Amino acid sequence: MKRSDDARGSAPPLPSVEPVGLVDPTGRRTEGAAYDTPEPGALLALLRGMVIGRRFDRQASALARQGRLAVYPSSRGQEACQVGGALALADRDWLFPTYRDCVSLVARGVDPVEVLTLLRGDWHSGYDPRRHRCAPQCTPLATSAPHAVGLAWAARRAGEDAAALVMMGDGATSEGDAHEAFNFAAVWKAPVVFLVQNNQWAISVPVDKQSAAPTLAHKAVGYGMAGVHIDGNDAAAVYAAVSQALEAARDGGGPTLIEARTYRLDPHTNSDDPGRYRDDAERARWEERDPLARLEALLRAEGALDDAAMDGFEKEAEITAAAVRERYSGDDETAPEDLFAHVYHSIPAQLERQRRDLLAEIGEG
Amino acid sequence: MKRSDDARGSAPPLPSVEPVGLVDPTGRRTEGAAYDTPEPGALLALLRGMVIGRRFDRQASALARQGRLAVYPSSRGQEACQVGGALALADRDWLFPTYRDCVSLVARGVDPVEVLTLLRGDWHSGYDPRRHRCAPQCTPLATSAPHAVGLAWAARRAGEDAAALVMMGDGATSEGDAHEAFNFAAVWKAPVVFLVQNNQWAISVPVDKQSAAPTLAHKAVGYGMAGVHIDGNDAAAVYAAVSQALEAARDGGGPTLIEARTYRLDPHTNSDDPGRYRDDAERARWEERDPLARLEALLRAEGALDDAAMDGFEKEAEITAAAVRERYSGDDETAPEDLFAHVYHSIPAQLERQRRDLLAEIGEG
Amino acid sequence: MAGTVTLGQALNRALRDALAADDSVVVYGEDVGPLGGVFRVTDGLTAEFGEERCFDSPLAEAGIVGTAVGMAMYGLRPVVEMQFDAFSYPAFEQVVSHVAKMRNRTRGRLELPMVIRIPYGGGIGAVEHHADSSEAYWAHTPGLRVVTPATPSDGYSMLREAVDSPDPVVFLEPKRRYWTKEEAVLPVRTAPMDRAVVRRSGDDVTLLAYGPMVETALEAAAAAAEEGTSVEVVDLRSLSPFDDATAAASVRRTGRAVVVHEASGFAGYGAEVAARLTEQCFHYLEAPVLRVCGLDVPYPPPVLEEHHLPSVDRILDAFDRLQWERTWTAAPAPAEVGA
Amino acid sequence: MAGTVTLGQALNRALRDALAADDSVVVYGEDVGPLGGVFRVTDGLTAEFGEERCFDSPLAEAGIVGTAVGMAMYGLRPVVEMQFDAFSYPAFEQVVSHVAKMRNRTRGRLELPMVIRIPYGGGIGAVEHHADSSEAYWAHTPGLRVVTPATPSDGYSMLREAVDSPDPVVFLEPKRRYWTKEEAVLPVRTAPMDRAVVRRSGDDVTLLAYGPMVETALEAAAAAAEEGTSVEVVDLRSLSPFDDATAAASVRRTGRAVVVHEASGFAGYGAEVAARLTEQCFHYLEAPVLRVCGLDVPYPPPVLEEHHLPSVDRILDAFDRLQWERTWTAAPAPAEVGA
Ligand SMILES: Cc1ncc(C[n+]2csc(CCOP(=O)(O)OP(=O)(O)O)c2C)c(N)n1
Ligand SMILES: Cc1ncc(C[n+]2csc(CCOP(=O)(O)OP(=O)(O)O)c2C)c(N)n1
Ligand SMILES: [Mg+2]
Ligand SMILES: [Mg+2]
């Protein structure tokens, strides 16, 4: 019995069924909050990131409507998670975003045009993952979660003080890969934080068809890791919770599963039709819990934000949007021979023949 | 927010970190037990099943040593789970066993020779799954768990008052399929009981390398299903816990995850070498927690078992073993053309050609 | 239902009629309920038949296929959808180790009358993982029937037949053809789903295609006709088992063959077609069976997919490489080697 | 290490030397630690290099491959083991959607220098799921290198090369040959792992084999020699990419070819071999390229596996069907069509 139950950890406290927040929907600090409210500087950075993020998202949605993106999955309404998660990261940390997390990448500092390469259909990913320590956006649900665990494990092994933040949706938690990643992370005490943006819907499927558990954060219990349930429309709470979890992870405390309760205000993507599966009234109620308005209200009430600062953010946002628009009128730079260049480290003979044939066919051979 | 957290269940109580039992290792009833102790008749049936099961297991191990089975994974030490689980089932219920659960099948009433068809290498499964309501033994870990969920769902839909019992090992709980099955079962409130025989080892890997959770039963919390942790060497406890869970499942209460703490006394299979990875002292300690001796002691102490009855069980066990030995001297009945007969409902032309070629080759065409 | 019907509508109608005809049919998967599927193939089914017959499950493909195995063991006829080709991969183990093998494993005592619907292939400008052609993986796996319709009528008829089949069927839906129209009267029964059919008769070359490429093949045949080459187009329909009789008869007559598919050529399904037709028709062949396939690269991003996908031009080029100058007079028909 | 060495020992030595040579190499999977793997290929590695370099992970194949992707993204060289062929299927999505595509997805910015070791094939009397040959699934997937050694020396050399490769390698180990012995001096470097090699020279037929079937092919060649047929045995070694030059040169010379593998023939790897050699050598071929493969059935139970597996006799039968009576004098070499 040397390796019996005793050897394993005792249960961490159960997550709260009600989401924990720092700022209430009207913009007031909540009482007895579980985390310290971030410094005003950090709060301003969050607001700035959300203002820019929302403008970027609106621009991308417009491009999609114009047919200039292959597809765009908006994160409008989820800015607190997108920005709160990204800004909590240190430069040395890694971000593992999904298709929905463009705003997160923008907040992380990735060139917005490079962020959109995937969705424009120019290439599968546009930015340099090493430069920004951002994995390519992941489409097969939950499959990048084990990548993050492996990478974080490797970073710790190398003596790096780095952690990884994995984004995933509520629906993705149902996949086997989520389970395996949670378990590997907990057993290996890998420095990983899983941020589940529970936006209530997996395309047309509501979260109560995904899980019968009180919250998705309760899953943490079964892996022996910490689980917390936070208000995902409260950027201060997301930032604080993710920061604390990252710190714990870097200190060897193992992974944390954070469920952030939020809402996808827009359709799943521009080609979705939410009228088929959800009430507009539901969406309208969530519009009232807007993460930007909430943080703006707090900062104004506490004198940390004035019109000039807010104007400044909005101007930056317009510049970002304009840059995206402009640089999108240029030609795309993908060349047919790129098809062959990256499949292997060096092009095998068989591919080289196909490359020559293609170039000949299009008159470039 | 119509489908918010509120719509989902509240957390059931956490499983006990110490396994719950009815009979202690010395054969005395435990105080304040969580279940009623089964009737003496049921306890005798459990003991009888375990005596026969152990003898069958010993016989099969001997056949494997003699090279008359391709392989045999012994369940010696796990008889309380094997028999307690099987006997808790009503005839109308279904059993989903793994490769390790031969004794369970024997206890369920499947012809012991047909049970061994798989391990003898005659065919992939030897018994009629419909007749016994036993799925074929499953080798790819955790993969039969979703089958059980689907079948149980279908039975309920048909208005049948039937449930399914899925056996799996501690190691198997790490697989994605276990997660998906747990989740589907909980969301669908399917009448399924998952019995995890935590025998402390997945081949050479101890359970503390599988999970960092306090118990495997804690996983239940994350699915919103009931989870219980029982002493898996206490047949009365296994029988009671599985019975109660099956009943709850049939009554629409949804699935239960039962972790039964037990120990694999023998090697993983006859070709395993446990000396490479575990202490003999550990095994010796578990030998002292023998499930048969414990129940025998209780029944004798309470006057429900005498030498004659015990002799009767042992005689039955010898008869079972002898029957296996004898019927094993006969030829196996698998014919080469069986290769083609069952792949499809009717043999496609291409396979028919291969069948004819093979029969010609072996001189039967 | 008569008049113009799209493939998507025909499939939808087939599911509706199957649900109406047999209470043991259930349809489920991701977003197949109120949304009606991302391609609307299950549109209206929940409304018409209720949540017990057509519903959304948790988002997990192995779980979806795995629970369907259990339902089929019990006697239901589940029809499950994998939302896109690449999202069937999480279910690979369930399909290969159970769906394909359960019948054989139990000596026929447990049949699995289930259908796994997979929209597959590219050409719709979709991003990564939404345009894979996975047929070679399934076709190589004994125990599965793998079929793919190319027309609305076939979509209807083959899906009904797949649902009724006692064997599990991987039903591959050419997603770029969901909007393909045909004048049709539904319900309809076309050729049995395990048969290939000749879509266009011709004498000079046999062009073998399936699913999304049948339309392209017919266009290529029309273009070739203008240049004086008479092309016979065979729509394989059933990828496993393969209908040797129809395909080989055509090739024996024409003496030349090209097979076309979207999937990467290397170790792709076309290799089987080429290899077995060569085995069966060797002395009739004036040239090797050529393959026009996707490149041996991961499916490209939208801006490059035109370069990956077989086009009419590439098929015509293949015709040109069929060594016309070398036509010999047909030798006396020799004994052909068995398959 | 000189003298008699088995394939299993050679692989073990390769891992040991790789771990010693490069600190970024890590070995993990199920039971690869203290147990040394169920086939003992990782025997002693934990003892020698510690738990940080060779260790047991939780039991979940997608998790194993998925975490290895992350490690490789970081710059490590993980070598993971799938315990048996059929137990690699849970990792299918990770392999196909990530391992094979990460490099291409990121325009080469993230290479994945990782090795997935898979003991494969039958012939050891194992029960269901322990004898699959999954090479066709991997070979059809662009972005992977798929190799399989047939001898202890190749086992050593190719595994070292696989670990050093900047590309992900699916390393298929012919489990029935783990105990195959050879006189060898390790370390050794044999031909590059992407090359086929001629194992026996001959003039009449080219017999193409790989992995477990190379030994069988050599036996068949020896038996054929006694009957006066001179067989050239080509060990393909690299299933993807395919070494056209070596294989086609042999077939052009002999004019006849047979390909052999354990996996089911239908849409199997041999179809690619047959199809591409026919494309490249059509006018040199006196007979179609024949395939001797496993039956198109799920892998049989132990008592029947002998009927499934290609045998010397079946290979000799295939030689007999190569239409010897029809030998024509070689036509003047025509231009061959491209691959
Ligand atoms: C393995 C896999 N299965 C199916 C899909 C198709 N799909 C794309 S997004 C989506 C819903 C995901 O929901 P959720 O995880 O909640 O994330 P959200 O889109 O709400 O951000 C589905 C089913 C996929 N991308 N990957
Ligand atoms: C998907 C899969 N991966 C790997 C294996 C190989 N394998 C067979 S048994 C076993 C250990 C299983 O341990 P556990 O679930 O605890 O069951 P036990 O054998 O202890 O009863 C492994 C790894 C398998 N059968 N299936
Ligand atoms: Mg969501
Ligand atoms: Mg175990």
Side-chain angles (χ1 to χ4, degrees):
Chain A
M1 277 153 281
K2 76 179 186 305
R3 295 173 178 104
S4 74
D5 300 344
D6 321 316
R8 289 184 277 157
S10 59
L14 284 179
S16 159
V17 173
E18 278 309 301
V20 170
L22 297 179
V23 181
D24 76 17
T26 67
R28 270 186 295 264
R29 284 172 195 261
T30 54
E31 308 268 305
Y35 303 95
D36 291 338
T37 308
E39 300 297 308
L43 292 177
L44 283 168
L46 288 170
L47 183 60
R48 171 180 174 272
M50 293 199 290
V51 170
I52 294 172
R54 175 161 294 180
R55 184 66 191 87
F56 165 86
D57 190 80
R58 189 148 59 83
Q59 180 61 63
S61 291
L63 290 170
R65 264 194 314 278
Q66 297 156 21
R68 294 166 73 197
L69 292 182
V71 63
Y72 185 71
S74 166
S75 61
R76 193 168 70 85
Q78 302 179 214
E79 291 88 351
C81 295
Q82 296 283 312
V83 177
L87 294 194
L89 290 166
D91 282 351
R92 64 187 180 285
D93 295 329
W94 275 77
L95 177 67
F96 284 76
T98 75
Y99 52 91
R100 172 123 17 246
D101 302 311
C102 291
V103 166
S104 205
L105 287 163
V106 172
R108 177 86 173 146
V110 180
D111 177 344
V113 170
E114 290 184 0
V115 170
L116 292 176
T117 299
L118 163 67
L119 300 162
R120 194 182 176 191
D122 290 350
W123 197 259
H124 310 295
S125 179
Y127 48 89
D128 182 346
R130 287 195 197 286
R131 178 159 159 233
H132 301 284
R133 298 209 159 193
C134 293
Q137 286 176 282
C138 185
T139 299
L141 297 166
T143 56
S144 66
H147 306 172
V149 175
L151 182 138
W153 182 93
R156 194 189 47 188
R157 178 183 185 271
E160 254 206 284
D161 185 29
L165 176 67
V166 190
M167 307 285 230
M168 63 173 89
D170 43 300
T173 64
S174 296
E175 292 279 7
D177 276 29
H179 169 71
E180 299 188 12
F182 294 160
N183 195 44
F184 274 69
V187 171
W188 289 355
K189 280 194 174 295
V192 179
V193 177
F194 301 100
L195 178 59
V196 175
Q197 294 175 65
N198 177 358
N199 65 5
Q200 312 301 317
W201 294 92
I203 310 186
S204 69
V205 183
V207 68
D208 65 353
K209 291 203 174 148
Q210 289 307 334
S211 175
T215 75
L216 299 175
H218 276 73
K219 290 184 188 295
V221 177
Y223 303 97
M225 70 170 148
V228 295
H229 182 205
I230 60 171
D231 182 340
N233 280 19
D234 177 348
V238 175
Y239 179 83
V242 174
S243 298
Q244 182 171 314
L246 285 167
E247 214 163 298
R250 289 194 210 96
D251 287 354
T256 301
L257 175 62
I258 302 176
E259 174 184 359
R261 191 160 183 273
T262 182
Y263 195 78
R264 189 196 82 214
L265 292 171
D266 279 356
H268 174 71
T269 69
N270 53 297
S271 60
D272 180 35
D273 176 7
R276 288 177 164 255
Y277 57 80
R278 72 184 190 186
D279 276 356
D280 212 47
E282 177 185 279
R283 197 193 44 68
R285 277 197 304 279
W286 277 93
E287 293 269 13
E288 283 160 25
R289 299 170 57 96
D290 184 54
L292 278 72
R294 183 187 308 199
L295 189 56
E296 183 181 348
L298 175 86
L299 287 165
R300 284 194 190 268
E302 299 193 346
L305 179 77
D306 58 15
D307 286 349
M310 194 64 192
D311 282 357
F313 296 161
E314 273 159 10
K315 225 166 260 154
E316 281 189 85
E318 286 308 325
I319 290 168
T320 302
V324 168
R325 276 195 310 276
E326 264 163 49
R327 288 166 58 201
Y328 255 45
S329 34
D331 276 347
D332 100 70
E333 278 152 35
T334 309
E337 52 186 301
D338 294 355
L339 285 170
F340 309 95
H342 311 296
V343 184
Y344 297 95
H345 186 80
S346 55
I347 303 188
Q350 163 185 343
L351 267 193
E352 180 54 31
R353 278 195 300 273
Q354 294 183 6
R355 196 182 77 91
R356 277 201 311 265
D357 288 350
L358 176 64
L359 295 184
E361 182 183 306
I362 60 179
E364 293 182 13
Chain B
M1 279 152 280
K2 77 179 181 309
R3 297 174 177 103
S4 74
D5 299 348
D6 322 317
R8 289 183 279 155
S10 61
L14 284 179
S16 159
V17 173
E18 278 310 302
V20 170
L22 297 180
V23 181
D24 75 17
T26 66
R28 269 185 295 265
R29 286 171 193 261
T30 54
E31 307 268 306
Y35 303 95
D36 291 337
T37 308
E39 301 297 308
L43 294 178
L44 282 168
L46 289 169
L47 182 60
R48 172 180 173 272
M50 292 198 292
V51 170
I52 295 171
R54 176 160 294 179
R55 184 65 190 88
F56 166 86
D57 191 80
R58 191 149 57 86
Q59 180 61 63
S61 291
L63 290 170
R65 264 195 314 278
Q66 296 156 20
R68 294 166 73 197
L69 292 181
V71 64
Y72 184 73
S74 167
S75 60
R76 193 168 70 85
Q78 301 179 216
E79 291 88 352
C81 296
Q82 295 284 311
V83 177
L87 295 195
L89 291 167
D91 282 351
R92 64 189 181 282
D93 294 330
W94 276 76
L95 177 67
F96 283 76
T98 74
Y99 53 91
R100 178 139 352 259
D101 302 312
C102 291
V103 166
S104 205
L105 286 162
V106 172
R108 176 88 172 143
V110 179
D111 177 344
V113 171
E114 289 184 358
V115 169
L116 291 177
T117 300
L118 163 67
L119 300 163
R120 192 181 177 194
D122 290 349
W123 198 257
H124 310 297
S125 179
Y127 48 89
D128 181 348
R130 286 194 199 287
R131 173 151 164 240
H132 302 285
R133 297 209 159 193
C134 292
Q137 284 176 283
C138 185
T139 299
L141 297 166
T143 55
S144 66
H147 305 172
V149 176
L151 182 137
W153 182 92
R156 195 188 48 190
R157 176 183 186 272
E160 255 205 284
D161 185 29
L165 176 66
V166 190
M167 308 286 230
M168 62 173 88
D170 43 297
T173 64
S174 295
E175 292 280 4
D177 277 29
H179 169 72
E180 299 189 13
F182 295 160
N183 194 42
F184 274 67
V187 171
W188 289 356
K189 280 195 174 295
V192 180
V193 177
F194 302 100
L195 178 59
V196 175
Q197 293 175 64
N198 176 357
N199 64 7
Q200 313 300 318
W201 293 92
I203 309 185
S204 69
V205 184
V207 67
D208 64 353
K209 290 203 174 150
Q210 290 305 337
S211 175
T215 76
L216 299 174
H218 277 73
K219 291 185 186 294
V221 177
Y223 304 98
M225 70 171 150
V228 294
H229 182 207
I230 60 171
D231 181 341
N233 281 18
D234 177 348
V238 175
Y239 179 83
V242 174
S243 297
Q244 180 170 316
L246 286 167
E247 213 163 299
R250 290 196 209 96
D251 287 354
T256 301
L257 175 62
I258 302 175
E259 173 184 359
R261 190 159 185 272
T262 182
Y263 194 78
R264 190 196 79 215
L265 292 172
D266 279 355
H268 174 70
T269 68
N270 52 297
S271 59
D272 180 35
D273 177 7
R276 288 176 165 255
Y277 56 80
R278 72 183 189 188
D279 275 354
D280 212 49
E282 178 185 278
R283 197 193 43 70
R285 276 196 305 279
W286 277 93
E287 293 268 14
E288 283 160 27
R289 300 169 56 97
D290 183 52
L292 277 72
R294 182 187 311 199
L295 188 56
E296 184 182 345
L298 175 84
L299 286 166
R300 284 192 190 268
E302 300 194 348
L305 179 78
D306 57 15
D307 286 350
M310 195 63 194
D311 281 357
F313 297 160
E314 273 160 10
K315 225 166 262 155
E316 281 190 85
E318 285 308 325
I319 290 169
T320 302
V324 168
R325 276 194 311 274
E326 261 162 52
R327 289 166 59 200
Y328 254 46
S329 34
D331 275 349
D332 101 72
E333 277 150 36
T334 309
E337 52 186 302
D338 295 356
L339 285 169
F340 309 95
H342 310 297
V343 185
Y344 296 95
H345 185 80
S346 54
I347 303 187
Q350 166 184 340
L351 268 193
E352 179 54 31
R353 277 195 300 274
Q354 295 184 6
R355 195 180 77 91
R356 276 202 312 264
D357 288 350
L358 177 63
L359 294 185
E361 182 181 306
I362 60 179
E364 293 183 14
Chain C
M1 187 164 175
T4 305
V5 54
T6 66
L7 174 60
Q9 289 165 340
L11 295 168
N12 177 261
R13 175 68 192 271
L15 291 174
R16 237 168 69 206
D17 291 354
L19 282 160
D22 183 350
D23 186 55
S24 66
V25 176
V26 293
V27 173
Y28 67 103
E30 295 158 8
D31 304 294
V32 299
L35 184 65
V38 296
F39 292 107
R40 304 292 183 267
V41 172
T42 55
D43 193 25
L45 301 182
T46 299
E48 188 169 343
F49 297 96
E51 286 236 7
E52 284 275 300
R53 305 288 308 282
C54 176
F55 54 93
D56 295 322
S57 70
L59 205 174
E61 293 77 10
I64 291 170
V65 172
T67 51
V69 167
M71 292 182 195
M73 284 169 68
Y74 191 80
L76 298 187
R77 295 183 173 274
V79 181
V80 296
E81 176 177 300
M82 305 279 96
Q83 196 161 84
F84 284 87
D85 25 71
F87 308 143
S88 64
Y89 301 155
F92 189 79
E93 179 187 33
Q94 283 290 342
V95 177
V96 170
S97 289
H98 290 300
V99 176
K101 296 187 170 68
M102 188 65 82
R103 188 180 205 292
N104 186 63
R105 177 179 302 147
T106 60
R107 292 184 179 271
R109 284 154 173 158
L110 289 181
E111 289 197 323
L112 299 183
M114 57 186 282
V115 179
I116 303 174
R117 295 181 38 243
I118 311 180
Y120 80 119
I124 63 164
V127 297
E128 203 189 355
H129 308 291
H130 292 76
D132 282 17
S133 292
S134 53
E135 66 272 20
Y137 301 131
W138 314 124
H140 181 51
T141 307
L144 301 175
R145 291 186 181 273
V146 184
V147 304
T148 180
T151 69
S153 295
D154 261 3
Y156 180 90
S157 181
M158 292 168 73
L159 186 48
R160 290 296 308 270
E161 204 181 333
V163 174
D164 289 341
S165 169
D167 295 320
V169 179
V170 173
F171 193 89
L172 297 168
E173 302 176 0
K175 69 170 88 81
R176 66 197 282 197
R177 305 300 180 199
Y178 274 138
W179 303 273
T180 295
K181 288 186 180 133
E182 189 189 40
E183 285 297 314
V185 183
L186 300 184
V188 67
R189 283 286 158 149
T190 61
M193 73 173 182
D194 59 356
R195 294 288 159 70
V197 300
V198 174
R199 291 268 171 230
R200 176 190 173 112
S201 301
D203 299 318
D204 300 333
V205 192
T206 300
L207 179 57
L208 304 115
Y210 54 87
M213 281 292 109
V214 172
E215 198 171 308
T216 310
L218 289 168
E219 286 170 33
E226 292 184 11
E227 296 172 14
T229 306
S230 166
V231 176
E232 178 144 308
V233 176
V234 176
D235 176 358
L236 296 177
R237 299 169 86 249
S238 176
L239 304 187
S240 178
F242 184 84
D243 177 1
D244 289 300
T246 305
S250 176
V251 174
R252 290 214 184 91
R253 216 162 38 69
T254 61
R256 288 180 171 86
V258 173
V259 51
V260 55
H261 60 61
E262 288 191 11
S264 293
F266 191 77
Y269 186 75
E272 177 62 38
V273 177
R276 69 194 296 116
L277 289 174
T278 306
E279 286 162 16
Q280 293 172 22
C281 315
F282 186 66
H283 294 291
Y284 296 89
L285 286 173
E286 305 287 349
V289 179
L290 296 184
R291 294 179 281 169
V292 179
C293 305
L295 304 168
D296 292 326
V297 305
Y299 198 92
V303 298
L304 295 180
E305 68 179 340
E306 59 168 322
H307 298 300
H308 177 69
L309 292 170
S311 59
V312 168
D313 281 348
R314 279 197 200 152
I315 297 171
L316 295 176
D317 280 352
F319 293 161
D320 288 346
R321 285 183 289 124
L322 287 170
Q323 311 186 14
W324 299 96
E325 71 288 357
R326 299 186 55 85
T327 301
W328 294 311
T329 48
E336 290 299 325
V337 296
Chain D
M1 187 165 175
T4 305
V5 55
T6 66
L7 175 60
Q9 288 165 341
L11 295 168
N12 176 263
R13 174 69 191 271
L15 291 174
R16 236 168 71 205
D17 291 355
L19 282 160
D22 183 350
D23 186 57
S24 67
V25 177
V26 292
V27 173
Y28 68 104
E30 295 158 9
D31 304 295
V32 298
L35 183 64
V38 295
F39 293 107
R40 305 292 181 269
V41 172
T42 56
D43 192 26
L45 302 182
T46 300
E48 186 168 344
F49 298 96
E51 286 238 6
E52 284 275 300
R53 305 289 307 283
C54 176
F55 55 93
D56 294 320
S57 71
L59 205 175
E61 293 77 9
I64 291 169
V65 173
T67 51
V69 168
M71 292 181 195
M73 284 168 69
Y74 192 82
L76 297 188
R77 296 184 173 272
V79 181
V80 296
E81 176 177 301
M82 306 278 97
Q83 197 162 85
F84 283 87
D85 25 71
F87 308 140
S88 64
Y89 301 155
F92 190 79
E93 179 185 35
Q94 283 290 345
V95 177
V96 170
S97 289
H98 290 300
V99 176
K101 297 186 170 68
M102 188 64 82
R103 187 180 206 293
N104 187 62
R105 177 179 301 146
T106 61
R107 292 183 179 271
R109 284 155 174 158
L110 289 181
E111 288 197 323
L112 299 183
M114 59 187 279
V115 179
I116 303 174
R117 295 181 38 242
I118 312 180
Y120 80 119
I124 64 163
V127 297
E128 204 188 352
H129 309 291
H130 292 77
D132 282 17
S133 291
S134 53
E135 67 271 21
Y137 301 131
W138 315 125
H140 181 52
T141 306
L144 302 175
R145 290 187 182 271
V146 184
V147 304
T148 180
T151 69
S153 296
D154 260 4
Y156 180 91
S157 182
M158 291 167 74
L159 185 50
R160 290 295 309 269
E161 204 180 334
V163 174
D164 289 342
S165 170
D167 295 319
V169 179
V170 173
F171 193 88
L172 297 168
E173 302 176 0
K175 70 169 88 80
R176 68 197 282 196
R177 306 300 179 198
Y178 273 138
W179 302 273
T180 294
K181 288 184 179 137
E182 190 189 41
E183 285 299 312
V185 183
L186 302 185
V188 67
R189 283 287 157 149
T190 60
M193 71 172 181
D194 59 355
R195 293 288 159 70
V197 301
V198 174
R199 291 266 170 230
R200 176 190 175 111
S201 301
D203 299 318
D204 301 331
V205 192
T206 300
L207 179 58
L208 304 115
Y210 53 88
M213 282 291 110
V214 171
E215 198 171 307
T216 310
L218 289 168
E219 286 169 34
E226 291 184 13
E227 296 172 15
T229 305
S230 166
V231 176
E232 178 144 309
V233 176
V234 176
D235 176 358
L236 296 176
R237 299 168 87 250
S238 175
L239 304 187
S240 178
F242 184 85
D243 177 1
D244 290 301
T246 305
S250 175
V251 174
R252 290 212 184 92
R253 216 163 39 68
T254 62
R256 289 180 171 84
V258 173
V259 52
V260 56
H261 59 61
E262 288 190 13
S264 294
F266 192 78
Y269 186 75
E272 177 62 38
V273 177
R276 71 194 295 118
L277 289 174
T278 306
E279 286 162 14
Q280 294 174 20
C281 315
F282 187 66
H283 295 290
Y284 296 89
L285 286 173
E286 305 287 348
V289 179
L290 295 184
R291 294 179 280 169
V292 180
C293 305
L295 305 168
D296 292 326
V297 304
Y299 197 90
V303 298
L304 296 180
E305 69 179 341
E306 59 169 321
H307 298 299
H308 177 70
L309 292 170
S311 59
V312 168
D313 281 348
R314 280 200 198 149
I315 297 171
L316 295 177
D317 281 352
F319 292 161
D320 287 346
R321 285 183 289 125
L322 286 171
Q323 311 185 14
W324 299 97
E325 73 287 358
R326 298 187 55 88
T327 304
W328 295 310
T329 49
E336 291 300 324
V337 296

